[in-house]
């Protein structure tokens, strides 16, 4: 019987285009599944999109499209991005798939009929972004404890899933299966924060929106989006509530691992297992809560303006450099960091200087010193044993770490071995051996060992960088590319062909200049067209005006923009913080004239960069139609942070 391995990612929420933080999970999953497949497993990899809920309904209304049109667009964007980074999934599920919707409705109905779900009323603080209710004590500064968004106090008729009757059984399962929640720290969080004490029943329906799966025989209720989303792990395999399960479900369930972000661990390790227990379905073997990718050590957020998109990274660095970076730089249990500069530095150090340089130098020396002659094992040198021992150690450590999903550490083991191969070149000095015809076989042996080092290292790197390794294997002329071929000397005779440069060395300043230029183009393209007749603007309602958050600010610092004569850069105290705001008023004011002035600030204007300087807000001014004069709106008696009505 073959070994089986079923891995799922969390399905991506279709609110907007995914950024690299969203895509990291799929790259990590893909590398793990590729590893398992190479290790002899019969694998199945499922991912997909979560497409229901109030947030999506509201976004679609705002955009003037139907919810289905909106999720179709975002789901395609995600699949296109996955294709772009070579995510080799077996099934892409959408929660709007007819079969999934049918089974979710049936599962809900079954739990209702057997008494695990009941109808009642719910009153609590609701977060649209998280699709979750919270009690007042859960809130942080009056906002959602998970995402920080504003919440609203709602009361509605709702269905509830009983959780407390299953709490003891779930605790026993966790204790009997110590690797059910990984890493260990995540397990301790769930037990100490939730499972040690009685847990309230879960509200599992909504009446405040329509974009969801209706409850059978009570269609004013739609099923809670998390009940809907979590069920994908079994419906995607052909689970049937009535027991007529598909062959994939029979073969691959229970899942070997649900790979998810640490922020949704509670849903996967409490609500999901209890749902499965109530349905009489076996629990997954493991839930692995991976860390986040941060930008400059901050969580990525469109509202913060610090989002980095996958297609942009690929444009500057290439697919495999992006895959390698996120896999190498995100630790097993701690958040990792990404910036364009950091990707550039890692690509240069590991991929261009260590790996790419080893490949290009070795093949060049083979062609220079032996032409089309075969390269085989021959006269040994004093340095061979250490090189081979280093690779043997790296192989053993690599397998141990990959089996624990410590992908970053596993990749570093490979890099350690490849650095040893570069050191081996310096130690054996092939250019010296080439000058002595009596040492030709010693030189042949050195090059053979280098080719073996490249082959073995490339096999180990293939789950992370499949595109690159295909090029290397072709250049080496080898088909010994499986884990069963990792023994030193497996490929006995090499006949190599030239290989293109795998990774170019990048100038970080040039890369950042290109990034800045591209961001400026995007910023310009996103600006609305200028209305030529300023007197003919459309009428607005009080609701439109209410969207503006106008406050009093005091200018505490003013300077000329270092790259633009027309711009001034201000530091403005708005009561709660000091903001940087860039304004095009240098023609009318000298910086020193404005320090201490109290002005009106548009506080909730999205942050942008103007010629490289961040601007978060806008200062209100008055001017004539031709902009021949301009005056800042000035307020004397108010203090910073006061509301302008």
């Amino acid at each position: 019987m073959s070994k089986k391995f079923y891995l799922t990612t969390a399905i991506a929420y279709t609110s907007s285009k995914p950024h690299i933080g969203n895509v990291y999970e799929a790259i990590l999953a893909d590398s793990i599944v590729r590893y398992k497949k190479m290790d002899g497993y019969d694998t199945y990899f499922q991912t997909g999109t979560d497409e229901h809920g109030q947030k999506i309904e509201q976004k679609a209304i705002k955009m003037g499209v139907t919810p289905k049109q909106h999720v179709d667009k975002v789901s395609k964007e995600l699949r296109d991005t996955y294709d772009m980074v070579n995510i080799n999934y077996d099934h892409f599920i959408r929660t709007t798939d007819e079969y999934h919707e049918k089974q979710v409705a049936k599962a809900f109905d079954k739990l209702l009929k057997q008494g695990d779900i009941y109808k009642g009323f719910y009153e609590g603080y609701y977060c649209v972004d998280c699709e979750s209710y919270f009690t007042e004590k859960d809130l942080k500064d009056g906002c959602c404890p998970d995402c920080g968004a504003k919440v609203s106090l709602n009361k509605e008729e709702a269905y509830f899933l009983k959780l407390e009757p299953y709490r003891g059984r779930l605790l026993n399962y966790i204790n009997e299966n110590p690797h059910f929640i990984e890493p260990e720290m995540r397990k301790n969080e769930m037990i100490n924060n939730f499972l040690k004490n009685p847990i309230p029943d879960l509200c599992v329906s909504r009446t405040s929106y329509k974009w969801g799966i209706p409850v059978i025989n009570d269609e004013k209720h739609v099923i809670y989006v998390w009940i809907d989303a979590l069920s994908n792990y079994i419906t995607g395999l052909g689970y049937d509530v009535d027991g007529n399960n598909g062959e994939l479900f029979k073969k691959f369930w229970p899942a070997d691992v649900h790979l998810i972000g640490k922020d949704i661990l509670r849903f996967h390790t409490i609500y999901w297992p209890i749902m499965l227990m109530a349905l009489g379905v076996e629990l997954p073997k493991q839930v692995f809560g991976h860390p986040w990718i941060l930008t400059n050590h901050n969580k990525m957020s469109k509202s913060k303006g610090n989002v980095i998109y996958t297609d942009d990274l690929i444009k500057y660095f290439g697919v495999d450099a992006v895959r390698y970076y996120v896999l190498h730089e995100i630790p097993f249990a701690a958040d990792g960091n990404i910036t364009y500069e950091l990707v550039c530095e890692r690509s240069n150090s590991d991929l261009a200087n260590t790996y790419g340089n080893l490949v290009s130098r070795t093949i060049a020396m083979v062609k220079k010193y032996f032409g089309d002659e075969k390269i085989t094992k021959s006269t040994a040198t004093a340095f061979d044993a250490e090189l081979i021992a280093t690779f043997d150690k790296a192989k053993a450590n690599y397998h141990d770490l990959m089996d624990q999903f410590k992908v970053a550490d596993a990749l570093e083991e490979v890099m350690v071995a490849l650095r040893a191969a570069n050191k081996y070149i310096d130690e054996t000095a092939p250019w010296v051996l080439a000058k002595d015809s009596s040492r030709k076989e010693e030189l042949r042996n050195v090059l053979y060992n280098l080719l073996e080092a490249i082959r073995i290292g490339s096999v180990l790197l293939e789950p992370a960088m499949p595109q690159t390794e295909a090029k290397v294997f072709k250049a080496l002329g080898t088909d010994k590319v499986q884990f069963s071929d990792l023994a030193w000397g497996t490929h006995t005779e090499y006949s190599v062909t030239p290989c293109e440069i795998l990774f170019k060395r990048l100038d970080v300043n040039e890369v950042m200049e290109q990034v800045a230029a591209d961001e400026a183009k995007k910023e310009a393209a996103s600006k609305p067209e200028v209305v030529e007749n300023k007197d003919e603007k459309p009428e607005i309602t009080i609701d439109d005006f209410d969207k503006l958050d106008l406050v009093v600010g005091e200018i505490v610092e003013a300077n000329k923009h270092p790259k633009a004569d027309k711009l001034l850069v201000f530091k403005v105290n708005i009561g709660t913080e000091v903001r940087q705001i860039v304004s095009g008023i240098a023609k009318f004011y000298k910086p020193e004239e404005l320090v201490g002035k109290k002005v009106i600030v548009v506080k909730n204007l999205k942050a942008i960069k103007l010629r490289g300087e961040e601007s978060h807000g806008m200062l209100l001014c008055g001017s004539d139609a031709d902009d021949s004069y301009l005056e800042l709106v000035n307020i004397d008696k108010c203090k910073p942070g006061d509301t302008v009505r």
Side-chain angles (χ1 to χ4, degrees):
M1 180 183 288
S2 64
K3 301 180 289 184
K4 299 182 186 66
F5 184 78
Y6 174 39
L7 178 145
T8 70
T9 68
I11 52 177
Y13 201 50
T14 47
S15 58
S16 57
K17 178 181 176 179
H19 55 64
I20 188 61
N22 308 132
V23 178
Y24 159 66
E25 181 173 295
I27 296 174
L28 177 62
D30 180 74
S31 69
I32 292 169
V33 173
R34 286 177 187 271
Y35 166 79
K36 288 293 185 181
K37 192 183 292 288
M38 291 175 69
D39 205 28
Y41 283 80
D42 184 359
T43 63
Y44 197 79
F45 171 18
Q46 179 173 293
T47 187
T49 41
D50 176 8
E51 303 188 5
H52 291 126
Q54 185 176 15
K55 186 176 179 179
I56 289 171
E57 184 178 78
Q58 290 179 347
K59 185 138 193 178
I61 291 170
K62 184 177 179 180
M63 296 174 67
V65 297
T66 67
K68 187 63 165 62
Q69 288 172 326
H70 173 68
V71 297
D72 284 349
K73 176 179 178 291
V74 179
S75 183
K76 183 181 184 303
E77 285 178 340
L78 184 73
R79 280 174 286 158
D80 289 346
T81 302
Y82 283 2
D83 290 345
M84 196 185 302
V85 289
N86 291 323
I87 306 300
N88 192 25
Y89 52 80
D90 294 287
H91 181 52
F92 190 99
I93 189 171
R94 300 179 59 185
T95 55
T96 52
D97 291 343
E98 184 179 353
Y99 182 82
H100 171 82
E101 291 188 334
K102 178 181 178 182
Q103 293 301 323
V104 169
K106 287 170 64 177
F108 190 100
D109 195 52
K110 176 180 179 178
L111 297 178
L112 178 62
K113 288 176 178 176
Q114 68 188 31
D116 285 297
I117 287 179
Y118 64 92
K119 185 186 280 190
F121 281 90
Y122 195 90
E123 184 172 5
Y125 293 89
Y126 187 61
C127 173
V128 173
D129 287 355
C130 294
E131 305 276 4
S132 295
Y133 270 109
F134 300 96
T135 63
E136 188 170 9
K137 67 179 179 62
D138 293 328
L139 303 180
K140 291 184 179 178
D141 299 323
C143 296
C144 173
D146 289 342
C147 73
K150 291 182 179 179
V151 295
S152 58
L153 183 60
N154 291 355
K155 181 177 181 179
E156 61 178 318
E157 181 184 82
Y159 287 93
F160 295 82
L161 173 66
K162 296 177 182 177
L163 301 181
E164 182 60 21
Y166 293 95
R167 181 170 63 90
R169 183 175 162 187
L170 178 55
L171 269 171
N172 289 338
Y173 183 83
I174 293 171
N175 291 329
E176 291 167 4
N177 298 272
H179 298 295
F180 174 59
I181 305 175
E182 288 284 358
E184 178 80 12
M185 61 184 293
R186 309 278 182 238
K187 176 173 73 175
N188 296 334
E189 287 174 11
M190 292 302 104
I191 292 174
N192 294 329
N193 295 343
F194 298 102
L195 290 172
K196 269 192 172 181
N197 300 306
I199 45 180
D201 295 339
L202 177 67
C203 181
V204 291
S205 77
R206 301 287 185 268
T207 58
S208 54
Y209 60 91
K210 295 298 181 184
W211 181 240
I213 302 172
V215 172
I216 295 174
N217 298 322
D218 197 354
E219 293 195 353
K220 73 176 181 179
H221 287 264
V222 296
I223 296 169
Y224 178 40
V225 69
W226 273 103
I227 301 294
D228 171 9
L230 290 165
S231 300
N232 91 89
Y233 303 130
I234 52 178
T235 62
L237 289 176
Y239 166 76
D240 178 68
V241 175
D242 299 327
N244 302 312
N245 298 318
E247 291 304 313
L248 286 173
F249 183 83
K250 295 174 186 177
K251 180 179 181 179
F252 284 107
W253 190 262
D256 290 271
V257 59
H258 291 322
L259 186 66
I260 62 164
K262 63 180 182 178
D263 52 326
I264 54 174
L265 204 67
R266 170 168 50 100
F267 300 94
H268 284 79
T269 59
I270 299 176
Y271 305 151
W272 177 229
I274 287 176
M275 281 175 57
L276 291 173
M277 288 175 181
L279 288 169
V281 176
E282 193 173 354
L283 269 59
K285 297 174 185 176
Q286 186 177 102
V287 179
F288 186 93
H290 66 74
W292 290 333
I293 293 185
L294 307 177
T295 307
N296 281 322
H297 304 288
N298 291 303
K299 188 177 179 183
M300 283 192 205
S301 166
K302 290 183 180 179
S303 62
K304 293 178 181 176
N306 65 348
V307 169
I308 296 178
Y309 290 106
T310 309
D311 51 351
D312 289 331
L313 286 166
I314 290 172
K315 175 181 177 181
Y316 306 126
F317 307 108
V319 172
D320 277 359
V322 174
R323 284 178 61 107
Y324 178 82
Y325 182 87
V326 298
L327 293 173
H328 184 273
E329 294 302 305
I330 313 304
F332 175 70
D335 295 334
N337 198 35
I338 188 169
T339 64
Y340 291 112
E341 294 95 333
L342 288 173
V343 180
C344 188
E345 290 168 10
R346 180 58 65 185
S347 180
N348 282 344
S349 63
D350 285 7
L351 302 182
N353 295 346
T354 297
Y355 181 45
N357 189 42
L358 175 65
V359 173
S360 60
R361 288 175 75 190
T362 301
I363 291 178
M365 287 189 292
V366 169
K367 288 301 182 183
K368 180 177 180 179
Y369 301 136
F370 288 92
D372 294 330
E373 287 184 47
K374 305 294 184 184
I375 304 299
T376 58
K377 187 175 182 180
S378 192
T379 305
T381 76
F383 303 101
D384 297 359
E386 183 180 355
L387 177 67
I388 295 170
T390 299
F391 271 79
D392 286 343
K393 180 182 178 182
K395 287 183 287 185
N397 291 344
Y398 171 89
H399 283 294
D400 180 56
L401 292 164
M402 286 296 291
D403 286 337
Q404 299 177 64
F405 307 143
K406 294 182 177 180
V407 179
D409 296 329
L411 291 179
E412 183 55 27
E413 288 291 329
V414 183
M415 281 299 146
V416 168
L418 293 174
R419 291 181 197 116
N422 279 309
K423 178 187 174 188
Y424 177 78
I425 294 177
D426 297 333
E427 292 170 333
T428 58
W431 49 90
V432 175
L433 297 177
K435 294 177 181 178
D436 187 344
S437 59
S438 67
R439 304 183 72 180
K440 184 174 181 179
E441 291 310 305
E442 196 175 342
L443 174 60
R444 190 190 305 271
N445 187 73
V446 167
L447 295 175
Y448 172 79
N449 283 336
L450 289 172
L451 292 170
E452 273 293 87
I454 291 168
R455 181 184 67 84
I456 293 168
S458 298
V459 171
L460 299 178
L461 287 173
E462 186 173 16
M465 300 192 296
Q467 199 174 81
T468 299
E469 305 324 323
K471 297 174 185 176
V472 174
F473 296 144
K474 182 179 179 181
L476 297 183
T478 184
D479 59 359
K480 304 298 183 182
V481 297
Q482 300 301 317
F483 288 162
S484 57
D485 302 321
L486 284 175
W488 196 276
T490 297
H491 190 102
T492 57
E493 185 178 87
Y494 281 98
S495 180
V496 303
T497 56
C499 181
E500 64 182 84
I501 295 174
L502 299 178
F503 300 97
K504 294 179 180 178
R505 292 183 182 87
L506 302 168
D507 184 304
V508 66
N509 291 325
E510 290 180 2
V511 171
M512 293 312 299
E513 285 175 7
Q514 185 60 53
V515 169
D518 290 344
E519 287 182 348
K521 288 179 184 177
K522 289 180 184 176
E523 182 184 317
S526 68
K527 290 182 178 178
E529 292 184 20
V530 177
V531 179
E532 297 209 358
N533 189 339
K534 295 181 180 180
D535 296 325
E536 293 183 5
K537 292 185 178 179
E539 288 185 345
I540 64 171
T541 67
I542 189 65
D543 292 332
D544 293 316
F545 184 78
D546 230 8
K547 294 176 183 177
L548 294 175
D549 189 1
L550 302 177
V551 299
V552 175
E554 182 177 1
I555 298 174
V556 296
E557 183 180 323
N559 296 289
K560 291 182 178 180
H561 193 292
K563 297 180 181 178
D565 293 336
K566 295 181 180 180
L567 301 178
L568 296 181
V569 181
F570 298 98
K571 293 288 192 298
V572 183
N573 177 9
I574 58 171
T576 56
E577 64 180 302
V578 174
R579 290 264 188 95
Q580 178 165 294
I581 299 175
V582 180
S583 184
I585 62 174
K587 175 182 175 182
F588 306 98
Y589 289 99
K590 294 179 181 179
E592 58 269 21
E593 295 175 346
L594 298 176
V595 175
K597 282 190 176 292
K598 291 177 182 175
V599 293
I600 297 178
V601 177
V602 182
K603 181 181 177 182
N604 61 335
L605 188 68
K606 183 179 178 181
I608 61 171
K609 282 195 174 182
L610 295 174
R611 298 294 298 274
E613 291 288 336
E614 179 173 325
S615 180
H616 194 180
M618 178 184 286
L619 306 183
L620 294 192
C621 304
S623 71
D624 68 333
D626 300 320
D627 287 334
S628 59
Y629 64 83
L630 177 144
E631 184 177 2
L632 273 171
V633 177
N634 194 16
I635 292 182
D636 291 324
K637 294 183 179 179
C638 293
K639 63 181 183 298
D642 282 354
T643 301
V644 178
R645 305 179 191 279

